Amino acid sequence: MICFLCRTKNNERLDFSNLFERPHLLCEKCRIQLSECKIMTDKRCSYCKGRLIDGNCMTCEHLSDCLVRFDHIYAPFCYDGLMKALIQQYKFMRDVALSEVIARYMIWPPLMYDLIVPMPSSPDNDQARTFNPVKYVLNAQGIDYCDILIMHNRHKQFDLTKKERFRIANRIALKDEINLENKRILLVDDIYTTGRTAHNAAVKLFHSKIRKLDMLTFAR
Ligand SMILES: [Zn+2]
Ligand SMILES: [Zn+2]
């Protein structure tokens, strides 16, 4: 088998010890490098898993105007090293087969939710990319999801009045009238950077009286 990422030939033999395991998609070297991208939670913000500077999380400070919080944010990998290379090749070089790799090596939380919701990207982005990176990974893992959020395209700022700009600061919206009352939801995104988009989605979901909202990001 050939490593999906570095394309070297993998000479792993099938024997009784690995006969019943799913076959590896990455060579051993790439798997080791990937495991080095796992986030050690003790040196990270307990909420968003961001890097701490003098004990403070800058991401959370920037979000201090936001009134909603996820119950739990799962961020198993940092957006660095091999994980960064993997996501960049997947997302920006459109190497769609890598959705299988991300699905295979992701650390999935127990999926005890009423709905799994992929974070939307703007139609402009999806069209340019020709696929939605989060949905492809969920498909690869065989996870049923509900595509209930949309993201509006970014308007050119100079076309807008100040009032309009404020109104569309949150470009995320619920697709249609769907009853989310008391639902437990897992929101899934590929990269969590500032957390702003995730929290914009959370605002809209909490507005629909959901019971619990967790977040999984493939990389942080
Ligand atoms: Zn490799
Ligand atoms: Zn934080």
Side-chain angles (χ1 to χ4, degrees):
M1 160 274 168
I2 292 173
C3 174
F4 272 54
L5 206 53
C6 72
R7 315 304 300 172
T8 56
K9 203 157 163 34
N10 194 345
N11 294 321
E12 258 171 75
R13 290 228 185 91
L14 218 54
D15 59 32
F16 279 113
S17 68
N18 63 13
L19 186 58
F20 300 104
E21 285 174 13
R22 282 201 285 170
H24 274 295
L25 307 177
L26 295 181
C27 68
E28 196 182 1
K29 196 170 144 244
C30 285
R31 293 203 308 269
I32 289 169
Q33 284 184 44
L34 190 63
S35 71
E36 286 165 359
C37 301
K38 279 183 196 160
I39 285 182
M40 303 290 164
T41 45
D42 54 330
K43 289 173 196 143
R44 296 277 183 149
C45 167
S46 60
Y47 176 60
C48 77
K49 318 297 179 288
R51 278 205 181 82
L52 296 175
I53 298 170
D54 298 330
N56 297 317
C57 174
M58 294 300 142
T59 312
C60 284
E61 256 173 48
H62 286 134
L63 284 170
S64 57
D65 61 324
C66 190
L67 300 172
V68 298
R69 273 173 81 87
F70 290 92
D71 291 288
H72 193 93
I73 295 177
Y74 295 95
F77 294 94
C78 56
Y79 188 55
D80 220 342
L82 194 97
M83 193 58 179
K84 188 172 181 177
L86 176 59
I87 289 188
Q88 286 191 338
Q89 189 172 328
Y90 171 50
K91 239 181 123 163
F92 306 117
M93 312 283 285
R94 292 177 231 158
D95 191 347
V96 175
L98 293 181
S99 59
E100 301 277 346
V101 176
I102 296 172
R104 171 78 169 82
Y105 296 102
M106 189 44 48
I107 301 164
W108 297 94
L111 298 176
M112 292 180 297
Y113 299 93
D114 299 307
L115 298 175
I116 313 255
V117 176
M119 179 71 94
S121 39
S122 68
D124 279 355
N125 280 349
D126 278 350
Q127 238 164 43
R129 199 180 286 129
T130 65
F131 72 106
N132 176 292
V134 177
K135 288 182 204 166
Y136 267 58
V137 173
L138 292 173
N139 283 335
Q141 187 67 7
I143 294 173
D144 284 328
Y145 57 81
C146 281
D147 201 5
I148 56 172
L149 296 174
I150 49 166
M151 184 188 285
H152 294 295
N153 282 324
R154 194 186 296 276
H155 288 260
K156 291 190 182 74
Q157 293 278 315
F158 52 77
D159 289 341
L160 304 173
T161 63
K162 200 173 176 187
K163 200 172 154 194
E164 282 174 320
R165 240 177 274 166
F166 184 78
R167 185 177 55 80
I168 59 152
N170 187 348
R171 294 190 290 136
I172 298 194
L174 277 167
K175 238 177 201 171
D176 23 48
E177 287 304 313
I178 169 170
N179 183 12
L180 297 176
E181 204 171 327
N182 267 321
K183 294 277 191 277
R184 297 160 303 167
I185 294 177
L186 177 70
L187 185 68
V188 184
D189 202 0
D190 46 12
I191 312 167
Y192 181 108
T193 312
T194 64
R196 184 59 70 182
T197 323
H199 282 78
N200 280 345
V203 167
K204 295 293 161 91
L205 291 167
F206 274 116
H207 199 71
S208 304
K209 301 191 179 73
I210 60 171
R211 170 151 49 123
K212 176 186 165 78
L213 181 61
D214 289 350
M215 159 110 205
L216 166 68
T217 177
F218 301 149
R220 174 70 177 86

Short mmCIF file of all heavy atoms in Angstrom, two decimals, residues 3 6 8 27 30, ligand 1:
data_model
loop_
_atom_site.label_atom_id
_atom_site.label_comp_id
_atom_site.label_asym_id
_atom_site.label_seq_id
_atom_site.Cartn_x
_atom_site.Cartn_y
_atom_site.Cartn_z
N CYS A 3 1.46 5.23 0.98
CA CYS A 3 1.02 6.23 1.94
C CYS A 3 0.26 7.35 1.22
O CYS A 3 0.76 7.92 0.25
CB CYS A 3 2.22 6.79 2.69
SG CYS A 3 1.80 8.15 3.80
N CYS A 6 2.70 10.90 1.89
CA CYS A 6 4.06 11.08 1.37
C CYS A 6 4.34 10.16 0.18
O CYS A 6 5.41 10.24 -0.42
CB CYS A 6 5.09 10.86 2.47
SG CYS A 6 5.27 9.14 2.96
N THR A 8 5.13 7.16 -0.09
CA THR A 8 6.12 6.08 -0.04
C THR A 8 5.37 4.75 0.11
O THR A 8 4.26 4.69 0.63
CB THR A 8 7.12 6.21 1.14
OG1 THR A 8 6.37 6.30 2.34
CG2 THR A 8 8.02 7.41 0.97
N CYS A 27 1.85 5.80 6.15
CA CYS A 27 3.01 5.00 6.53
C CYS A 27 3.32 5.26 8.01
O CYS A 27 2.79 6.20 8.62
CB CYS A 27 4.21 5.36 5.66
SG CYS A 27 4.83 7.03 5.97
N CYS A 30 4.62 8.84 8.85
CA CYS A 30 3.57 9.86 8.85
C CYS A 30 2.65 9.70 10.08
O CYS A 30 2.22 10.69 10.66
CB CYS A 30 2.75 9.82 7.56
SG CYS A 30 3.62 10.53 6.15
ZN ZN B 1 3.81 8.67 4.72
#
